[in-house]
Amino acid sequence: MPYPTQAVRAVRLLSLLLCAATLTTACPLPAHAFAEHTRSSSAGNNLTATNRDASHASSSIYTSRLALYQSIEALTGIPWYRLAAIDQYERTLTVAHPKDRKHAERIIGIFVTGPVWSGLLNPDSEDQNPHSIELFSGLGQDGSGDGIADRNNDKDLLFSIASYLGKYGNSEDEFGIAVWEYYHNSRAVQRVQQFAKLYQTYGKLDLVRQAFPLPLSSIYSYRSTWGSRRSWGGYRIHEGTDLFAGYGVPVRSTCYGVVEIKGWNPFGGWRIGIRDLNNRYHYYAHLSGFDKNVHNGDIVTPGQTVGWVGSSGYGKPGTQGKFPPHLHYGIYRDNGWTDWSFDPYPLLRQWEQNERKALKSGKTKGASS
């Protein structure tokens, strides 16, 4: 017997609430989260056979994913870069929660729980029948055309997500509303929209290149200083690495990313924050000024100048000279509701070494590859 209208609405509301409960928490990414991306980095002709294989595999998975996104776009009208953004955000969640979000090996990283897929009140949480799933207002649909709605099938998963998004419309605002209703987390909305902007701008998925934050031709020095004590404004730990250099040395973006914040901070002085596709927040502080072409919401590329080394901070706007000129570089992970720092020194060393090798081989100019 068909459900009354009010009952159906109640089931759908409960399904959305379960989505929020199971899918919103974005915990800090462990170090191995970045292995997939760093494996694809190379240093010109110095690649080993293993690295060549890894690079080829990485390129292959990007090609396969993009083809899948575009095929679902053709079926649903949802732009591929929005599907890619949700998939990438989901991938960061799974890396953070490997046990809670364990799933079969597949091309995409979207994870949906059984009850959400089949319907909250469906007695069969592993239901794969599209008709009974629809009856119980489940998310699952058949996207592959085999008559089965399988939550471990790439096409079924992506088609179901695209169909869900399509119910809200196709404008930027409607997309944001759909993402909010799915995650019930404003930070998730911001991240997904940032990722979509990056993919749309470059028209590709392979956006993992990194750069050292200072030109290698400049005179600089640094060591691991994360976790040391600081006292100005109250005792706290040092959440980054200090790279000492002269006034006016260019400060460069270490990644493809979106400028999330720019301006004055009493501790960091003139500072800028950039979000990358791994949901990492890159923080550059104590600048003497910003590049006039870089604004909030802008996209930046690895090696692009965003400002210059200075000694600003530890006071009201404009305070300078309370310490030697240097770049404070911090990197943070998003846990779903806030960011927390981890030691950037190992990454800085890696980016510096990769860039030196790439420059020596003549492969690139100004950024590691």
Side-chain angles (χ1 to χ4, degrees):
M1 176 187 295
Y3 283 97
T5 301
Q6 291 182 343
V8 172
R9 289 177 178 171
V11 170
R12 289 179 176 171
L13 177 59
L14 288 171
S15 297
L16 286 173
L17 290 175
L18 185 59
C19 281
T22 58
L23 300 174
T24 56
T25 304
C27 285
L29 304 181
H32 68 265
F34 315 119
E36 175 183 356
H37 304 295
T38 57
R39 281 199 303 269
S40 65
S41 297
S42 62
N45 297 325
N46 295 323
L47 278 170
T48 64
T50 300
N51 285 338
R52 288 193 188 94
D53 290 342
S55 180
H56 177 75
S58 178
S59 177
S60 178
I61 194 66
Y62 289 138
T63 300
S64 299
R65 284 175 185 160
L66 182 57
L68 179 59
Y69 300 150
Q70 291 175 334
S71 69
I72 299 301
E73 176 183 16
L75 288 173
T76 65
I78 302 300
W80 72 265
Y81 49 84
R82 291 180 180 172
L83 299 175
I86 290 176
D87 186 26
Q88 178 62 15
Y89 182 69
E90 285 278 312
R91 192 168 292 106
T92 66
L93 296 182
T94 299
V95 169
H97 299 279
K99 294 182 179 179
D100 296 338
R101 294 169 56 91
K102 189 175 182 180
H103 59 73
E105 189 71 23
R106 39 187 168 78
I107 294 175
I108 64 173
I110 293 172
F111 174 81
V112 181
T113 64
V116 171
W117 182 262
S118 61
L120 186 61
L121 298 184
N122 191 330
D124 181 7
S125 63
E126 297 300 324
D127 193 359
Q128 294 184 335
N129 186 318
H131 301 295
S132 54
I133 289 176
E134 182 179 13
L135 177 65
F136 286 100
S137 301
L139 182 70
Q141 295 190 42
D142 172 24
S144 60
D146 61 0
I148 298 174
D150 181 0
R151 66 189 180 100
N152 279 315
N153 178 282
D154 288 309
K155 288 185 178 179
D156 291 353
L157 266 173
L158 202 59
F159 180 79
S160 299
I161 292 296
S163 298
Y164 169 83
L165 296 174
K167 295 177 182 178
Y168 291 84
N170 219 7
S171 72
E172 184 67 25
D173 288 342
E174 289 165 336
F175 174 59
I177 291 171
V179 175
W180 162 256
E181 291 294 343
Y182 191 74
Y183 292 104
H184 286 264
N185 183 338
S186 59
R187 291 173 70 90
V189 176
Q190 184 184 33
R191 302 295 172 265
V192 170
Q193 290 181 324
Q194 288 170 332
F195 295 176
K197 186 174 183 179
L198 282 163
Y199 288 135
Q200 181 183 15
T201 298
Y202 293 102
K204 64 178 183 177
L205 301 178
D206 187 1
L207 300 173
V208 298
R209 185 163 55 90
Q210 305 280 176
F212 192 67
L214 300 177
L216 298 189
S217 59
S218 61
I219 299 174
Y220 63 87
S221 65
Y222 70 104
R223 61 184 178 85
S224 180
T225 55
W226 187 87
S228 59
R229 295 183 69 185
R230 291 292 185 271
S231 59
W232 189 88
Y235 283 101
R236 64 195 189 283
I237 70 165
H238 187 234
E239 297 183 348
T241 293
D242 289 336
L243 297 96
F244 289 89
Y247 284 106
V249 170
V251 171
R252 311 184 305 168
S253 173
T254 58
C255 62
Y256 287 99
V258 178
V259 177
E260 198 166 286
I261 195 168
K262 172 188 171 185
W264 181 266
N265 176 296
F267 293 92
W270 299 118
R271 55 67 165 110
I272 189 168
I274 297 169
R275 181 75 55 178
D276 73 11
L277 281 165
N278 283 317
N279 208 356
R280 299 179 300 189
Y281 178 77
H282 303 251
Y283 176 73
Y284 311 78
H286 306 316
L287 305 179
S288 60
F290 305 106
D291 187 284
K292 64 180 181 181
N293 295 314
V294 176
H295 308 283
N296 284 336
D298 283 355
I299 286 176
V300 293
T301 59
Q304 177 180 341
T305 298
V306 296
W308 294 272
V309 171
S311 60
S312 61
Y314 283 21
K316 62 182 181 179
T319 302
Q320 303 270 352
K322 289 195 172 184
F323 38 74
H326 68 278
L327 167 66
H328 170 98
Y329 174 78
I331 189 166
Y332 296 73
R333 297 168 182 157
D334 185 350
N335 69 6
W337 306 103
T338 188
D339 293 301
W340 63 283
S341 70
F342 66 97
D343 188 358
Y345 182 78
L347 287 175
L348 288 168
R349 290 288 295 166
Q350 177 187 322
W351 298 338
E352 181 185 31
Q353 291 169 5
N354 286 348
E355 187 170 334
R356 286 195 186 282
K357 291 177 182 178
L359 287 169
K360 187 175 181 180
S361 70
K363 183 176 179 180
T364 188
K365 196 172 185 177
S368 60
S369 58

